[in-house]
Amino acid sequence: KPCPLCDEAKEVLEPYKRRFVLQEVDITLPENSAWYDKYKYDIPVFHLNGKFLMKHRVDVPKFEDRLRKLELQGE
């Protein structure tokens, strides 16, 4: 559905798309009802490597820091 904050977040994350895989989850689908119950008032929500990272807007410094740490672990 219309989600201006989601669209904004995807634009902010665009330059990083080669460094991670973006998986979008539509929380309105029945199979995602647990996510809906948890986050219906807080979209978009971001998890990185399965762990909660941030919500509403992309905190670029936080995202870059966490992404860099994950990349270093993988070396």
Side-chain angles (χ1 to χ4, degrees):
K1 315 292 189 264
C3 178
L5 289 177
C6 301
D7 294 339
E8 177 186 311
K10 286 189 266 187
E11 284 182 33
V12 172
L13 294 173
E14 180 68 22
Y16 302 95
K17 70 180 181 179
R18 291 191 177 128
R19 294 172 62 191
F20 73 101
V21 175
L22 177 64
Q23 179 183 358
E24 293 182 57
V25 176
D26 182 345
I27 65 171
T28 64
L29 297 176
E31 63 266 26
N32 296 323
S33 62
W35 291 115
Y36 180 83
D37 292 341
K38 188 169 184 172
Y39 294 125
K40 60 186 163 195
Y41 301 117
D42 288 316
I43 61 170
V45 174
F46 307 90
H47 288 83
L48 186 60
N49 229 27
K51 295 181 181 174
F52 174 81
L53 182 61
M54 58 197 156
K55 62 184 176 181
H56 302 153
R57 288 191 156 71
V58 177
D59 179 335
V60 173
K62 183 177 187 175
F63 173 70
E64 286 180 345
D65 180 61
R66 195 72 61 86
L67 186 59
R68 188 171 40 257
K69 286 177 182 174
L70 284 172
E71 289 170 340
L72 290 173
Q73 290 174 0
E75 291 182 357

